[in-house]
Amino acid sequence: MFKNLIANSKNLSYKMSQEATTLLIPGPVRLSPHVQSALSIQSLSHTSPEFVTIYQRVLQNTRRLFKADVKKGLPIVLAGSGTLGFDLVGANLVSPKDEIYVISTGFFSDEFAECLNGYGANITTSRGPVGDIPDLNLIKKTLQENKFKLVVMTQVDTSTGVLNDVESICKLVRDVSPDSLIVVDGVCSIGCETLEFDKWGVDFCLTASQKAIGAPPGLSIAMISERALETALDNKASVKPFFSSLIKWSPILKGFEEGRASYFATPPVQLINSLDVALDEILEQDGGLDKRVQTHEEKSNWFKSKITNELGLELVSQYPQNDVSAHGLTAIYVNNPPQVISSMKSKGFVIAGGLYKGIASKYIRIGHMGYSVCNSDAEDIVKCYAALKSTLQE
Amino acid sequence: MFKNLIANSKNLSYKMSQEATTLLIPGPVRLSPHVQSALSIQSLSHTSPEFVTIYQRVLQNTRRLFKADVKKGLPIVLAGSGTLGFDLVGANLVSPKDEIYVISTGFFSDEFAECLNGYGANITTSRGPVGDIPDLNLIKKTLQENKFKLVVMTQVDTSTGVLNDVESICKLVRDVSPDSLIVVDGVCSIGCETLEFDKWGVDFCLTASQKAIGAPPGLSIAMISERALETALDNKASVKPFFSSLIKWSPILKGFEEGRASYFATPPVQLINSLDVALDEILEQDGGLDKRVQTHEEKSNWFKSKITNELGLELVSQYPQNDVSAHGLTAIYVNNPPQVISSMKSKGFVIAGGLYKGIASKYIRIGHMGYSVCNSDAEDIVKCYAALKSTLQE
């Protein structure tokens, strides 16, 4: 349980909320005490040696987070929501009439497609049944019959809890259409699922700070490959957004990564300081990133097994047969989701409702990412399960 | 003096920096203790009643900050840097071939022009001599001889410390070219200079959290008028960015302002909580916004008078004859700026170097915004002056 500290701005005093609540939505997630503390540093000059050291370490660790080459390509950490990552792709890698293939597994894949369509791209979409991933043979056939500039997929669609088979799709694209740039939305996967940027040949992977990375919301985080960066820097599109331009950001981010202060737009120093601590917790603590992914899988499997075997509920994502379920959240069909959510809140657990068209009113989503599952003495998900069991038996 | 709290992420402990430093650059600025504390709340669900209450108050107070109508138009508070505000204009109010008039007073006006040019606009620029504002007769003549969709100006150009005469230019535009939309960059002015959004007929004013508003960096803040919002919602541009789209954000922000949770992209809950406290300090404490502007003027006038009379230095912005100097920073020509900046740092004051082409290596910039001048017992600027005097006499 964690007591939310809410600012009472009317009298400028702060009080610990008397109501202890545990945040278990699929992002933002509960912060570790160190990540939370790191937020409230005094403002620093964005060009000071102190901040350069922090930002440099964050950019270097961002490469490690994605398992990307230590030299090639560019790590990106900017003020913005995860959604800004869609625009980083649209503004830098898309020109009008470009052919783009979107492999959709839910609401966020569709949002990404809508964003890229806004940059004038022609979108071809493949999707499986709700809760499943599209068939690899269909993807192969589509790749063989078309020439796509980008192939776009969502590793974990937060709306359905479906985990796409990014590794296999990457292999297909490299075999069948090696010139296509591979773009992965890793918003709900980076930090809790396996992603091998270099090994799998990913060209652009975007994520956000507030999910499995365990930092506060407000940072758009991404990694771009060397060949995709070349495409971005050679951007011939007639309309070029400014804040999302890698032509603008590339020298700035390279400068900071090499320890030189540089200026294009003021970075959010407190959020970046907090991310620095979160990345340290992921990469340096408790066995590092691989162990962290394994922990998420174990906790997720325990939770999903209880939900399906003991409570007899059905998940939105296929499970356990032909399992395509993500390990950072669980989407569960229930009767009367608003009542379940309300009852869980009265028991101290903040969970989320459904989000995907057609089924949004039929399910709940419970997040189990970051500190809530990685902290060895945290029992958030165990207690949440007990509360859910009790709620459903009421 | 304020001790910076730097996270030592290597051992995940935190230490108070032993070196007491006072941040006096023209943004980010030193935070008040309450604003700083408000940052380190635990993450909240972005659709929870607790967060809706905070975001609603922030959006309502954003209208008051700009002196905008309580019903018409739309207040905007998003994750992003101030620079994202340029794109909010470009992405929503500009189509290729639009004629745009930029009244430039420095680096940031030129950046704004470059951004809008990226959206395909034809830019006409007027600028005065370095450190001065363009002549009103020239502006009038240019408005009479052209038909502009937008007239763009920077109220305070942070690079030169020039305060533009926004009120007079607005009056000219309304008289000569009433169909032109008036766009003001208020990044270094909102919270420390007079801006009357409604009374002056401004259509779009953008700012950022980290300057005279006294909050941490990471929020793009803006106000759009009813007629400009209609233009934005009727955007016919063939290329439409996503994250900066007011077609996307308008229903979301309206929802939150009316107390309804809504979702497009995850808002940075901690930064918004901190802004909530900062806005309360501006609007509800110590006589409110008008008194705050007056305080900034008084402290600025005292500082500039000392700098010019006692130290005999020259400002970049015209002063005291034909005074066009901003009240939130002072740009001062000095011999050997790097040495002055370094010496000031050794005395505990972080100040900034020059930024405008042609003269960047010849001057320093000292910020005096927010808590450093508004806190009654803060003597940051007095102590800074003493340190500067001592530095120049070394």
Side-chain angles (χ1 to χ4, degrees):
Chain A
M1 301 282 185
F2 203 95
K3 292 178 175 61
N4 277 317
L5 186 66
I6 309 285
N8 181 341
S9 80
K10 278 295 154 196
N11 56 13
L12 285 175
S13 71
Y14 296 83
K15 55 175 185 176
M16 296 296 283
S17 169
Q18 292 309 298
E19 189 188 10
T21 56
T22 302
L23 185 62
L24 286 171
I25 62 173
V29 306
R30 179 180 166 187
L31 306 177
S32 83
H34 287 301
V35 170
Q36 188 177 351
S37 299
L39 262 172
S40 63
I41 59 167
Q42 181 53 277
S43 282
L44 291 169
S45 166
H46 50 300
T47 58
S48 64
E50 294 82 359
F51 180 67
V52 170
T53 301
I54 295 167
Y55 205 5
Q56 178 179 32
R57 189 166 51 223
V58 161
L59 291 167
Q60 288 170 345
N61 280 339
T62 296
R63 291 183 186 270
R64 296 172 62 198
L65 181 70
F66 287 102
K67 300 199 170 186
D69 191 279
V70 295
K71 289 274 183 198
K72 292 177 188 162
L74 186 72
I76 301 166
V77 176
L78 306 179
S81 302
T83 305
L84 180 66
F86 296 168
D87 285 87
L88 289 173
V89 175
N92 294 288
L93 299 176
V94 176
S95 295
K97 310 290 180 199
D98 279 351
E99 296 293 333
I100 293 180
Y101 184 30
V102 174
I103 299 164
S104 175
T105 44
F107 174 85
F108 287 95
S109 311
D110 296 344
E111 289 276 293
F112 205 161
E114 185 186 340
C115 170
L116 300 181
N117 183 250
Y119 286 89
N122 297 324
I123 311 288
T124 301
T125 305
S126 290
R127 68 177 79 237
V130 171
D132 200 359
I133 58 178
D135 182 60
L136 281 176
N137 289 321
L138 168 68
I139 295 172
K140 185 175 183 180
K141 188 160 171 286
T142 309
L143 287 169
Q144 283 167 334
E145 291 172 356
N146 298 271
K147 191 167 168 54
F148 296 112
K149 183 172 179 186
L150 303 185
V151 178
V152 176
M153 69 207 81
T154 312
Q155 189 168 23
V156 169
D157 202 298
T158 320
S159 72
T160 55
V162 167
L163 171 66
N164 210 338
D165 184 359
V166 173
E167 184 176 11
S168 296
I169 299 172
C170 286
K171 187 170 183 318
L172 263 186
V173 177
R174 287 202 319 280
D175 288 348
V176 178
S177 179
D179 290 340
S180 301
L181 296 175
I182 299 175
V183 177
V184 178
D185 172 350
V187 168
C188 200
S189 69
I190 297 299
C192 71
E193 308 283 359
T194 299
L195 185 120
E196 299 269 359
F197 190 91
D198 262 31
K199 203 183 286 179
W200 296 355
V202 177
D203 288 292
F204 193 99
C205 185
L206 64 102
T207 188
S209 46
Q210 79 277 9
K211 299 197 188 242
I213 294 170
L219 293 170
S220 171
I221 302 168
M223 183 71 213
I224 184 169
S225 73
E226 193 69 22
R227 69 170 184 167
L229 184 59
E230 282 167 17
T231 302
L233 298 181
D234 190 40
N235 185 356
K236 297 277 198 299
S238 60
V239 170
K240 288 196 187 67
F242 196 62
F243 183 66
S244 51
S245 164
L246 289 179
I247 293 175
K248 285 287 171 188
W249 277 113
S250 174
I252 308 298
L253 294 167
K254 277 188 179 152
F256 274 107
E257 198 185 4
E258 290 164 5
R260 292 190 315 276
S262 198
Y263 177 72
F264 170 54
T266 305
V269 298
Q270 285 88 353
L271 291 182
I272 289 173
N273 190 55
S274 185
L275 176 62
D276 185 27
V277 177
L279 290 174
D280 188 88
E281 290 185 354
I282 293 173
L283 298 167
E284 308 296 349
Q285 315 281 313
D286 303 326
L289 179 56
D290 291 343
K291 179 64 167 43
R292 183 183 174 93
V293 168
Q294 191 189 323
T295 300
H296 277 89
E297 284 182 11
E298 287 165 6
K299 298 287 170 79
S300 172
N301 290 340
W302 175 85
F303 190 63
K304 287 176 171 61
S305 155
K306 288 290 235 184
I307 295 284
T308 54
N309 291 335
E310 197 169 287
L311 299 184
L313 297 174
E314 189 192 347
L315 305 191
V316 173
S317 55
Q318 282 203 19
Y319 177 93
Q321 281 78 39
N322 307 313
D323 183 11
V324 292
S325 295
H327 303 103
L329 79 157
T330 303
I332 312 160
Y333 287 112
V334 293
N335 292 325
N336 203 344
Q339 198 180 358
V340 172
I341 292 166
S342 169
S343 171
M344 288 295 283
K345 183 150 192 190
S346 73
K347 295 181 176 70
F349 295 91
V350 178
I351 65 171
L355 188 61
Y356 194 41
K357 60 188 177 189
I359 58 168
S361 65
K362 297 178 180 170
Y363 68 105
I364 57 171
R365 291 176 302 150
I366 296 176
H368 31 81
M369 285 179 265
Y371 187 71
S372 277
V373 290
C374 296
N375 178 27
S376 57
D377 61 13
E379 295 187 322
D380 289 356
I381 202 70
V382 175
K383 289 180 179 164
C384 172
Y385 175 71
L388 185 63
K389 185 175 175 180
S390 156
T391 291
L392 295 170
Q393 287 167 348
E394 275 162 10
Chain B
M1 298 283 184
F2 203 95
K3 292 178 175 60
N4 277 318
L5 186 66
I6 309 284
N8 181 338
S9 80
K10 278 295 155 197
N11 57 15
L12 285 176
S13 70
Y14 296 84
K15 55 175 184 176
M16 296 296 284
S17 168
Q18 293 307 299
E19 190 189 11
T21 56
T22 302
L23 185 63
L24 287 172
I25 62 173
V29 307
R30 179 180 166 187
L31 306 177
S32 83
H34 287 300
V35 170
Q36 188 177 350
S37 299
L39 263 171
S40 63
I41 60 167
Q42 180 54 277
S43 282
L44 291 169
S45 165
H46 49 300
T47 57
S48 64
E50 294 82 358
F51 179 66
V52 170
T53 301
I54 295 167
Y55 206 4
Q56 178 178 33
R57 189 166 51 222
V58 161
L59 291 167
Q60 289 170 344
N61 280 339
T62 296
R63 291 183 185 269
R64 295 173 63 199
L65 181 69
F66 288 103
K67 301 200 170 185
D69 190 280
V70 295
K71 290 276 183 194
K72 292 177 188 161
L74 186 73
I76 301 165
V77 176
L78 306 179
S81 303
T83 305
L84 181 66
F86 296 169
D87 286 87
L88 289 174
V89 175
N92 294 287
L93 299 176
V94 177
S95 294
K97 310 290 180 199
D98 279 350
E99 296 294 332
I100 293 180
Y101 184 28
V102 174
I103 299 164
S104 176
T105 44
F107 174 86
F108 288 95
S109 310
D110 297 344
E111 289 276 293
F112 205 162
E114 185 186 340
C115 170
L116 301 182
N117 183 251
Y119 286 91
N122 297 325
I123 310 288
T124 301
T125 305
S126 290
R127 67 177 80 238
V130 170
D132 200 0
I133 58 177
D135 181 61
L136 281 177
N137 289 320
L138 168 68
I139 295 173
K140 186 175 182 180
K141 188 160 172 288
T142 310
L143 287 169
Q144 283 167 333
E145 291 172 356
N146 298 273
K147 191 167 168 55
F148 295 112
K149 183 172 180 187
L150 304 185
V151 178
V152 176
M153 69 206 81
T154 313
Q155 187 168 24
V156 169
D157 202 298
T158 320
S159 72
T160 54
V162 167
L163 172 66
N164 211 338
D165 185 358
V166 173
E167 184 176 11
S168 296
I169 298 172
C170 286
K171 188 171 183 316
L172 262 185
V173 177
R174 287 203 318 279
D175 288 349
V176 176
S177 180
D179 290 340
S180 300
L181 296 176
I182 299 175
V183 176
V184 178
D185 171 351
V187 167
C188 200
S189 68
I190 297 299
C192 70
E193 307 284 359
T194 299
L195 185 120
E196 298 270 359
F197 190 90
D198 262 31
K199 204 184 283 180
W200 297 355
V202 177
D203 288 293
F204 194 98
C205 185
L206 64 102
T207 188
S209 46
Q210 79 276 9
K211 299 196 187 245
I213 294 171
L219 293 170
S220 171
I221 302 169
M223 182 72 214
I224 185 169
S225 72
E226 192 68 22
R227 68 170 184 167
L229 184 60
E230 282 167 17
T231 301
L233 297 181
D234 190 40
N235 185 356
K236 298 276 198 300
S238 60
V239 170
K240 287 197 188 65
F242 196 61
F243 183 65
S244 50
S245 164
L246 289 178
I247 293 174
K248 284 288 173 188
W249 277 114
S250 174
I252 307 299
L253 294 167
K254 278 188 178 152
F256 274 107
E257 199 186 3
E258 290 165 4
R260 291 190 315 276
S262 197
Y263 176 72
F264 170 54
T266 305
V269 298
Q270 285 89 352
L271 291 182
I272 289 174
N273 190 54
S274 185
L275 176 62
D276 185 26
V277 176
L279 290 174
D280 188 88
E281 290 185 353
I282 292 174
L283 298 167
E284 308 295 349
Q285 315 280 315
D286 303 327
L289 180 55
D290 292 343
K291 178 64 167 41
R292 183 184 176 91
V293 168
Q294 191 189 323
T295 301
H296 278 88
E297 284 183 10
E298 287 167 5
K299 298 287 171 78
S300 173
N301 289 340
W302 174 85
F303 190 63
K304 288 177 171 63
S305 156
K306 289 290 237 184
I307 295 284
T308 54
N309 291 334
E310 198 168 287
L311 300 184
L313 297 174
E314 188 192 346
L315 306 191
V316 173
S317 55
Q318 281 203 20
Y319 176 92
Q321 281 78 39
N322 307 316
D323 182 12
V324 293
S325 295
H327 302 104
L329 80 157
T330 303
I332 312 160
Y333 287 112
V334 294
N335 291 325
N336 203 344
Q339 199 179 357
V340 172
I341 292 166
S342 168
S343 172
M344 288 294 284
K345 183 148 190 189
S346 74
K347 295 182 175 70
F349 295 91
V350 179
I351 64 171
L355 189 61
Y356 193 41
K357 60 187 176 190
I359 58 169
S361 65
K362 297 178 180 170
Y363 69 105
I364 57 171
R365 292 176 301 150
I366 296 176
H368 30 82
M369 285 178 265
Y371 187 71
S372 277
V373 289
C374 296
N375 178 27
S376 58
D377 61 14
E379 295 187 322
D380 290 356
I381 201 71
V382 175
K383 290 180 178 163
C384 172
Y385 175 72
L388 186 64
K389 185 175 175 180
S390 156
T391 290
L392 294 171
Q393 287 166 349
E394 276 162 11

